Structure formats: C-alpha cells, structure tokens
C-alpha cells in the first residue's frame, strides 16, 4: 500500500514494452533458419544432412522460444493475480482493524492489548470511567496491578493460553 492508503499499481509483465524482444528474435531466427534449410534442400535436390539438421534445429529453437514466451506470460499473470489478492487481503485487514479500534474506543468496557511480557500496549478510553486512569497512564504498566487478587489465576491461565494461540481473551475484575 502507498503511504496514503491507496493500493500501489504495478504494470503487468506483459504490458512492459519490449518484454519478449529477445525471445521473439530467437524464435524468428529459428524460423528463418528452417526456411533457409528448406530452400537449400529443394534447390540442390539432395537432402543433405546439414540442411536437415538446420531445419530441425530452427524448428526446435522457434518452438522453445514461443513456449518460453507463453510460460513467462502465464507466470506474470499469476503473479499479478496473487499480488492483487494480497492487496485486497491487506485492505480487508486494515478495515477490520479500524472496526476493532472503533469498537474498543466506544465500548463501555476496558479493552486492552498486552504484549508477551504482560505490559499494556494499548487500552481503550473506558479506563477513565472504570479505573479512573487515562489510557496513556496505563501504557507500559503490568495489567496485574489493576486486577482483584482472586482473578490473578484467570490472568495466569490466559497467559498460558497465549503461548499457544495468537488471539486470547479473558474477563476478570
């Protein structure tokens, strides 16, 4: 994504001018070699080994070059499709994150995010009404400091689950 949030546009590989120039030149050389070989075979009337070899080598060269062009085009199209899918997924992720942040900002309950060390990395504005602390005052502090002693086992269990899962939640007082 661009800094403004707009998706970054990329040129498709097949849209790049001169993209297959060398492969086309090689294919043309192969076809030309085959034509010269056919002309040599029919002009002297003898199917010389060199002329036959040139014919088959030219055809093989042209065929392989055309095959390489087609394969590279398909790969480029697949890469472009995958990049578009990644861009769409990133856009959806950002939208979901924005919705989550909006819910956390308007919830009457405290919504907090803790790092692996147990310190608060983000907390909703509800902390003012529930705890009497501004969110900025809670950032970097341990969440255990604000929990009733009876609910500490709930926090410990939540931390144990967090070692095995990415997204863990718990309710405590």
């Amino acid at each position: 994504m661009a800094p403004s949030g707009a998706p970054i546009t990329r040129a498709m590989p097949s849209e790049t001018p001169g993209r297959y120039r060398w492969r086309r030149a090689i294919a043309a050389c192969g076809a030309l070699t085959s034509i010269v070989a056919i002309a040599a075979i029919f002009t002297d009337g003898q199917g010389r080994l060199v002329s036959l070899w040139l014919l088959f080598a030219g055809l093989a060269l042209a065929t392989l070059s055309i095959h390489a062009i087609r394969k590279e085009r398909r790969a480029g199209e697949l890469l472009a499709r995958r990049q578009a899918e990644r861009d769409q997924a990133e856009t959806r992720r950002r939208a979901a994150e924005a919705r989550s942040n909006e819910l956390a900002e308007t919830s009457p309950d405290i919504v907090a995010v803790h790092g692996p060390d147990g310190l608060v990395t983000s907390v909703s504005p509800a902390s003012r009404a529930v705890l009497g602390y501004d969110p900025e005052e809670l950032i970097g502090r341990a969440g255990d400091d604000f929990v009733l002693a009876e609910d500490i086992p709930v926090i410990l269990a939540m931390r144990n689950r967090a070692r095995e899962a990415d997204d863990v939640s718990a309710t405590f007082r």
Side-chain angles (χ1 to χ4, degrees):
M1 292 292 233
S4 66
I8 298 172
T9 55
R10 293 176 181 85
M12 290 274 296
S14 58
E15 297 171 1
T16 308
R19 172 81 177 177
Y20 305 107
R21 181 179 6 184
W22 289 107
R23 286 193 179 85
R24 287 183 182 135
I26 292 169
C29 287
L32 185 60
T33 302
S34 297
I35 291 169
V36 168
I38 291 171
I41 290 171
F42 287 118
T43 53
D44 49 355
Q46 300 172 10
R48 287 198 229 166
L49 188 58
V50 172
S51 296
L52 288 174
W53 184 86
L54 283 174
L55 173 66
F56 291 118
L59 289 173
L61 190 61
T63 303
L64 290 173
S65 296
I66 291 169
H67 179 69
I69 290 170
R70 288 181 180 161
K71 231 177 150 176
E72 189 173 342
R73 264 195 197 137
R74 281 193 301 265
E77 290 166 359
L78 179 62
L79 285 172
R81 250 193 330 266
R82 296 278 163 83
Q83 184 60 46
E85 289 169 3
R86 279 192 297 274
D87 289 346
Q88 288 174 348
E90 177 63 17
T91 301
R92 287 191 303 267
R93 185 195 66 77
R94 286 178 189 245
E97 187 176 321
R99 284 190 304 273
S100 295
N101 288 338
E102 183 180 343
L103 286 172
E105 293 292 318
T106 58
S107 174
D109 296 325
I110 295 177
V111 178
V113 178
H114 298 260
D117 54 2
L119 299 180
V120 176
T121 59
S122 171
V123 65
S124 65
S127 64
R128 284 185 197 99
V130 176
L131 298 175
Y133 289 98
D134 284 333
E136 297 79 26
E137 295 178 84
L138 300 176
I139 304 288
R141 293 184 63 184
D144 300 4
D145 298 345
F146 306 98
V147 177
L148 290 176
E150 303 96 62
D151 288 348
I152 294 292
V154 174
I155 290 178
L156 296 175
M158 179 184 65
R159 285 190 188 142
N160 286 335
R161 284 193 314 265
R163 289 187 185 106
E164 299 167 4
D166 290 334
D167 190 19
V168 177
S169 63
T171 303
F172 43 84
R173 301 165 286 153

